[in-house]
């Protein structure tokens, strides 16, 4: 019970921790002073900063490459000098690329002390582009670090375990459920099998859910056609590595860098598989999202008859119960209640136990009565 409680709390926490998505995108700015490039605001180093020329209305824009609900934006100011240059800047979030100044304002920056990082709430504003701009003439925009934080509250694949039929280099299965679509660094943020027959990828949701939809993000850098004819399968069986479960959808194609949604109409299952039938196939996934309701709790009653001369209250029987429960937990059946019950006297099977000589020993000590174990 304690293990299950800890696990549920851990998954809940992962789902509600804001994730910094800034490093997943590409940056640009209105002008560049010397070698102070726009991407320096995304390198994780407060010592390297962007810098525009002296100009009117300087701006810096981050393209996240897909639309997100932005929880908050952080800005780290320069620490060497001129900290007041950031004063009066605006943070905008939206989907208009042709005119970033038309995107809605998330927050206005009054001041940020030298070297400090301030956070600004955007309250779930949706957008692909995050812009920092300073309105006015004779302005310089310098940013030492920008963070864009997004919450993923409903993705059932979050924090789960993923495996695949083979692994190409560092393209591990878990990278398909790491939040990042891997547009800028596919090799470290996407999953991929080697070239093989019938490659597959599977995520274990740990419990049975009614899956409403699955979202697949295809790689951007190359080879988008490799995802063609992949099957999305959902179910509870691990027969053939889960690839015999019912089909939710067959992917005809997904353009490079696009996230496509497939409706599953409440199919119930613990396992979600991606499977490509055929020879010499690669299965590459830059992100898999699973949405639905649940978990679906089901009770199963199994009767087990154990022949024993021991009383149900004796320690040996409790040890037997504990060992059985541990064995079930190792198989993934942690939600099990064990309940002992002794059959009525009329249904008890009384057996004789013979000693080594073949003679029947004293029956008062060696009756073996059937006992029933109910698993709920």
């Amino acid at each position: 019970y304690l293990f299950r409680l800890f696990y549920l709390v851990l998954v809940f926490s992962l789902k509600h921790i804001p994730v910094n998505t800034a490093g997943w995108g590409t940056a640009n700015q209105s002008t560049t002073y010397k070698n102070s490039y726009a991407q320096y605001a995304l390198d994780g180093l407060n010592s390297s900063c962007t810098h525009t020329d002296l100009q009117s209305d300087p701006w810096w824009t981050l393209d996240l490459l897909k639309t997100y609900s932005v929880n908050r934006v952080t800005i780290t100011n320069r620490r060497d000098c001129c900290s007041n240059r950031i004063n009066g800047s605006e943070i905008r979030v939206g989907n208009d690329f042709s005119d970033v100044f038309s995107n809605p304002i998330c927050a206005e920056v009054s001041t940020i002390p030298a070297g400090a990082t301030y956070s600004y709430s955007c309250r779930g504003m949706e957008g692909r582009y995050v812009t920092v701009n300073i309105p006015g003439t004779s302005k310089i925009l310098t940013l030492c670090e920008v963070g864009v934080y997004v919450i993923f509250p409903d993705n059932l694949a979050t924090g789960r375990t993923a495996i695949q039929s083979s692994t190409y280099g560092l393209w591990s299965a878990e990278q398909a459920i790491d939040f990042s679509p891997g547009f800028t660094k596919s090799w470290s943020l996407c999953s991929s099998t080697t070239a093989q027959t019938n490659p597959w990828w599977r995520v274990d949701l740990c419990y049975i859910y009614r899956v409403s939809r699955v979202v697949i993000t295809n790689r951007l850098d190359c080879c988008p056609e490799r995802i063609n004819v992949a099957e999305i399968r959902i179910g509870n069986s691990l027969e053939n590595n889960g690839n015999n479960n019912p089909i939710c959808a067959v992917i005809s194609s997904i353009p490079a860098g696009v996230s496509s949604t497939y409706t599953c109409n409440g199919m119930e299952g613990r396992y979600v598989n991606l499977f490509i039938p055929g020879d010499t196939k690669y299965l590459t996934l830059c992100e898999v999202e699973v949405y639905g309701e649940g978990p679906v709790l089901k009770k199963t009653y199994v009767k087990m008859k154990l022949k024993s001369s021991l009383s149900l209250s004796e320690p040996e029987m409790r040890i037997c119960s504990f060992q059985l429960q541990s064995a079930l937990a190792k198989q993934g059946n942690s939600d099990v209640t064990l309940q002992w019950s002794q059959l009525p006297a009329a249904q008890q099977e009384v057996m004789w136990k013979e000693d080594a000589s073949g003679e029947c020993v004293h029956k008062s000590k060696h009756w073996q009565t059937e006992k029933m174990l109910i698993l709920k």
Side-chain angles (χ1 to χ4, degrees), residues 342-367:
Q342 185 164 316
L343 294 173
Q347 300 180 30
Q348 290 181 8
E349 178 183 351
V350 180
M351 302 183 63
W352 293 97
K353 182 176 181 180
E354 296 182 354
D355 62 12
S357 64
E359 297 294 330
C360 293
V361 297
H362 196 280
K363 65 179 181 180
S364 63
K365 292 185 179 180
H366 295 277
W367 284 7

Side-chain angles (χ1 to χ4, degrees), residues 48-349:
S48 60
C49 306
T50 71
H51 198 302
T52 67
D53 292 328
L54 182 69
Q55 66 170 101
S56 296
D57 304 318
W59 54 264
W60 177 94
T61 294
L62 170 65
D63 181 359
L64 294 172
L65 304 175
K66 64 180 293 186
T67 299
Y68 293 97
S69 295
V70 178
N71 175 258
R72 59 188 173 92
V73 173
T74 61
I75 295 178
T76 302
N77 201 5
R78 62 188 301 172
R79 60 185 177 185
D80 53 347
C81 79
C82 324
S83 60
N84 61 315
R85 288 180 180 173
I86 197 70
N87 297 358
S89 60
E90 301 169 342
I91 302 172
R92 296 175 179 268
V93 178
N95 289 306
D96 192 335
F97 175 71
S98 59
D99 181 12
V100 293
F101 296 106
S102 67
N103 287 325
I105 294 177
C106 156
E108 295 182 0
V109 178
S110 58
T111 183
I112 302 176
T117 300
Y118 275 21
S119 179
Y120 301 88
S121 175
C122 294
R123 302 167 298 280
M125 293 177 63
E126 292 195 353
R128 170 175 171 170
Y129 304 101
V130 177
T131 299
V132 181
N133 66 278
I134 304 179
T137 59
S138 300
K139 300 289 185 179
I140 295 175
L141 176 60
T142 297
L143 303 168
C144 289
E145 203 65 26
V146 175
V148 179
Y149 290 84
V150 173
I151 291 179
F152 299 83
D154 302 317
N155 184 359
L156 300 177
T158 301
R160 306 303 189 183
T161 300
I163 62 172
Q164 57 191 2
S165 51
S166 60
T167 299
Y168 177 77
L170 300 176
W171 301 56
S172 64
E174 290 80 6
Q175 292 176 175
I177 52 174
D178 62 356
F179 302 112
S180 172
F183 294 141
T184 57
K185 298 179 180 179
S186 297
W187 64 271
S188 63
L189 296 171
C190 301
S191 71
S192 183
T193 67
T194 59
Q196 64 169 105
T197 300
N198 302 332
W200 55 267
W201 176 96
R202 183 177 74 240
V203 60
D204 181 356
L205 302 179
C206 295
Y207 296 93
I208 299 172
Y209 289 87
R210 297 185 185 93
V211 178
S212 59
R213 57 192 170 94
V214 175
V215 181
I216 307 296
T217 301
N218 203 4
R219 64 188 298 176
L220 177 66
D221 54 346
C222 82
C223 327
E225 73 282 354
R226 288 181 178 173
I227 197 68
N228 297 358
V229 307
E231 301 171 353
I232 302 173
R233 292 178 173 265
I234 299 173
N236 297 309
S237 172
L238 287 178
E239 181 182 358
N240 189 24
N241 294 303
N243 297 314
N244 291 348
N245 284 322
I247 294 178
C248 157
V250 177
I251 299 172
S252 57
S253 65
I254 303 176
V258 171
S259 299
S260 293
T261 299
Y262 300 89
T263 302
C264 298
N265 297 314
M267 290 179 63
E268 290 190 3
R270 169 175 173 173
Y271 305 105
V272 177
N273 278 52
L274 272 294
F275 170 74
I276 301 182
D279 298 327
T280 318
K281 300 288 186 179
Y282 288 91
L283 176 57
T284 301
L285 302 166
C286 283
E287 197 66 18
V288 177
E289 303 165 55
V290 181
Y291 298 92
E293 299 177 347
V296 179
L297 301 178
K298 295 184 177 181
K299 289 187 177 181
T300 301
Y301 296 88
V302 179
K303 293 183 179 179
M304 301 176 62
K305 293 182 178 180
L306 304 177
K307 294 187 172 86
S308 173
S309 60
L310 298 173
S311 167
L312 295 177
S313 60
E314 294 189 39
E316 289 85 349
M317 298 304 292
R318 291 198 295 271
I319 293 174
C320 175
S321 173
F322 174 78
Q323 291 175 339
L324 179 57
Q325 194 160 12
S326 298
L328 290 169
K330 290 180 180 178
Q331 299 299 318
N333 301 303
S334 56
D335 293 329
V336 176
T337 300
L338 301 180
Q339 177 182 322
W340 287 103
S341 177
Q342 185 164 316
L343 294 173
Q347 300 180 30
Q348 290 181 8
E349 178 183 351

